[in-house]
Amino acid sequence: MSQGAADERLRLFFALLPPPPLAAALAGRAAELAGEYGGRALPAANLHMTLLFLGDVGAARLPVLNLAASSAAAAWRPFTLQLDRLGYWPRQQLLWAGLQQAAPELSDFSAYLRSTVEKAGFSIGDAGRAFFPHLTLLRKPGRTPPDGLSLTLPAWPVSGFALLASTRTAAGASYRPLAVWPVP
């Protein structure tokens, strides 16, 4: 590995990735919303629920990060999510899909992953921010969506989590999985 590659920094986060049929349904709903309110709908390939945002991490530290995530994965307990709520954050100009009912297993795992990664010596990019599970569907709508938009989707049996690298482009961010931890 060249010195330049060893010094490479990656913008990283851990996330849940919806299964392809659910991602397609969410992308379809996002496209409908974009048609109605304007803005940029996220494609199915970019849909995710962030568990933990790390920010910029040196590529040379990836083996340690993977080991910490593997340790957290060993504590995983399967759960199911029901995305049944749409919300809008005016300041960020984001329309998102989320949960009406809290999912304690999701919050517990996110906290455990955070603790495991911090113990491995990583700082957290979103430290101090409360965990609020959501998937961004639409960015910068031309007009503000009303409260209470409907969302009816099948249940999401969560089957693992991933470490993703984010790359910013003129067309928006793109995400690529660096590692995936499936669960039984």
Side-chain angles (χ1 to χ4, degrees), residues 17-30 42-48 83 135 137 153 156:
L17 302 175
L22 180 58
L26 285 162
R29 185 69 172 120
L42 270 67
N46 273 9
L47 294 173
H48 65 276
L83 298 172
L135 289 94
L137 298 180
L153 294 167
W156 174 3

Side-chain angles (χ1 to χ4, degrees), residues 10-76:
L10 302 167
R11 187 171 176 82
L12 301 178
F13 63 98
F14 288 99
L16 302 180
L17 302 175
L22 180 58
L26 285 162
R29 185 69 172 120
E32 290 170 9
L33 292 163
E36 198 166 336
Y37 300 101
R40 184 170 50 87
L42 270 67
N46 273 9
L47 294 173
H48 65 276
M49 181 179 286
T50 301
L51 291 169
L52 181 64
F53 178 74
L54 296 167
D56 292 337
V57 175
R61 299 206 58 213
L62 281 176
V64 175
L65 185 58
N66 283 331
L67 189 60
S70 294
S71 174
W76 182 280

Side-chain angles (χ1 to χ4, degrees), residues 6-179:
D7 292 341
E8 180 185 9
R9 298 201 57 84
L10 302 167
R11 187 171 176 82
L12 301 178
F13 63 98
F14 288 99
L16 302 180
L17 302 175
L22 180 58
L26 285 162
R29 185 69 172 120
E32 290 170 9
L33 292 163
E36 198 166 336
Y37 300 101
R40 184 170 50 87
L42 270 67
N46 273 9
L47 294 173
H48 65 276
M49 181 179 286
T50 301
L51 291 169
L52 181 64
F53 178 74
L54 296 167
D56 292 337
V57 175
R61 299 206 58 213
L62 281 176
V64 175
L65 185 58
N66 283 331
L67 189 60
S70 294
S71 174
W76 182 280
R77 299 292 173 260
F79 58 91
T80 299
L81 298 176
Q82 184 62 60
L83 298 172
D84 57 2
R85 174 182 178 201
L86 288 172
Y88 180 69
W89 289 326
R91 185 169 171 238
Q92 295 87 352
Q93 296 184 318
L94 297 177
L95 190 127
W96 48 266
L99 312 163
Q100 297 257 2
Q101 296 290 322
E105 304 92 343
L106 175 59
S107 296
D108 290 349
F109 182 73
S110 176
Y112 185 74
L113 178 63
R114 175 183 296 265
S115 172
T116 304
V117 167
E118 285 177 327
K119 286 177 186 170
F122 291 88
S123 58
I124 307 303
D126 61 1
R129 188 180 305 172
F131 178 62
F132 186 85
H134 69 281
L135 289 94
T136 299
L137 298 180
L138 184 65
R139 294 186 186 278
K140 298 184 180 180
R143 57 190 192 95
T144 302
D147 283 335
L149 291 174
S150 66
L151 182 64
T152 304
L153 294 167
W156 174 3
V158 181
S159 61
F161 66 103
L163 175 63
L164 302 176
S166 172
T167 304
R168 293 181 185 155
T169 67
S174 66
Y175 310 114
R176 76 184 152 94
L178 300 179

